[in-house]
Amino acid sequence: MAFGSHARSFAGRPVVEVPEDGPLPEVDGPVSWRFSRWDFDDDAEDVLSEAFQVGFEQFVAQTGPTVESLVVGAWGYAAFNPAPIAQLCEAAPRLPALRALFLGDMTSEECEVSWMKVGDVSQLLAAFPSLEVLRVRGGEDFRFSPVRHPRLRELAVESGGLSREFVGAVLDSELPALTDLELWLGTSDYGGDATPADLAPLLAGELFPQLTRLGLRNAESADEVARAVASAPVVRRLERLDLSLGTLGDEGAAALLAGQPLTHLAQLDLHHHFMSEEVAASVVAALPGVQVDVSEQEKPDEYDGETYRYTAVSE
């Protein structure tokens, strides 16, 4: 799936674009400011876009102390220009009110997700100790290091393929306030080699004592993930479970229904799936008190007599 549009809301707030020229628009109530500077300069490979650097400094100087929520879009051409993690970290003292950050809000026309040069996003948590929401998107040089952060409530990692090293570093982190964890596991073609076995400490319920929402999304191995989740102790304390955007089929759905009860959930998100209509209907019928999303039924691709399921986000 190609990312087709920019975020319209983030952290419960409407997204408002920072213009390239002129003053910031007047807003009514809390907003998430979106800063983006897309430009292509093949002579500027491996350095941050000058247009982004200059414009972001102007934005921070103008309104930094009041910014509570920030969406970072294109930082030049993200396949050439590395993410502005260092600049964001350097600006942290001038962004004292920042509580929510989304790094990488780009469409595929600006940069395919697997091409996006990002770096170690855990540096953002070290630089912003009061951050409560962090969403990051990336592919190339996409890294995380174990970190302790007492205030982070929501962590979402979007990718066409998450490495087991990235997943392991997240699970090795101390995040005592975390209520919402979302990992886009992706495909092996794009470095997604994390398996259900790599998720074992999380699924065992040993981590993140406040966790109430778990998303294991965009998984090429969605049936295997569903089988692991079906008996996972962590599920007993969840309010929302999200296995959407992946390749879930009848086998994975059957495993979910044959496993532990899911009737305590408020939401079960399975949209973008490969279940038959009959099996999808049986999941909904088995969970009458649960908001179950089985929309976006997909059909496998066919090539040389073989059928292939595909995740929602790849290339």
Side-chain angles (χ1 to χ4, degrees), residues 262-280:
L262 300 175
T263 51
H264 67 287
L265 293 174
Q267 295 178 352
L268 175 62
D269 191 346
L270 305 176
H271 84 273
H272 185 280
H273 63 85
F274 293 81
M275 293 181 286
S276 64
E277 291 185 8
E278 295 78 12
V279 169

Side-chain angles (χ1 to χ4, degrees), residues 4-21:
S5 60
H6 299 134
R8 296 182 179 180
S9 65
F10 174 61
R13 303 165 180 234
V15 172
V16 176
E17 195 80 22
V18 176
E20 292 197 22
D21 299 301

Side-chain angles (χ1 to χ4, degrees), residues 3-10 13-20 24-25 27 31-38 52 55-56 59 63 67-76 98 100-111 116 137:
F3 289 104
S5 60
H6 299 134
R8 296 182 179 180
S9 65
F10 174 61
R13 303 165 180 234
V15 172
V16 176
E17 195 80 22
V18 176
E20 292 197 22
L24 293 176
V27 296
V31 302
S32 293
W33 291 109
R34 181 179 185 276
F35 188 87
S36 178
R37 293 293 183 267
W38 194 95
F52 186 97
F56 186 74
F59 167 69
T63 193
V67 176
E68 297 179 351
S69 182
L70 177 63
V71 176
V72 177
W75 47 77
L98 190 67
L101 174 62
F102 179 4
L103 177 67
D105 179 38
M106 290 178 235
T107 65
S108 58
E109 287 76 16
E110 291 167 319
C111 189
M116 291 166 57
R137 179 185 294 168

Side-chain angles (χ1 to χ4, degrees), residues 18 62 81 218 224 237 312:
V18 176
Q62 182 178 7
N81 307 123
N218 198 52
E224 290 79 3
R237 56 184 170 91

Side-chain angles (χ1 to χ4, degrees), residues 106-188:
M106 290 178 235
T107 65
S108 58
E109 287 76 16
E110 291 167 319
C111 189
E112 295 285 2
V113 64
S114 68
W115 301 353
M116 291 166 57
K117 289 185 177 181
V118 182
D120 189 340
V121 294
S122 61
Q123 296 177 42
L124 297 168
L125 293 175
F128 292 94
S130 296
L131 204 64
E132 297 176 0
V133 179
L134 177 62
R135 177 172 288 269
V136 292
R137 179 185 294 168
E140 187 177 341
D141 190 30
F142 200 27
R143 291 177 283 116
F144 199 92
S145 299
V147 65
R148 187 182 192 283
H149 196 288
R151 294 196 180 184
L152 191 70
R153 294 184 293 102
E154 300 179 20
L155 175 62
V157 183
E158 301 182 11
S159 181
L162 270 189
S163 69
R164 58 167 48 98
E165 290 80 13
F166 195 117
V167 171
V170 171
L171 302 190
D172 285 340
S173 296
E174 294 183 52
L175 306 171
L178 195 70
T179 62
D180 189 322
L181 176 62
E182 184 177 314
L183 301 173
W184 294 31
L185 300 175
T187 77
S188 55

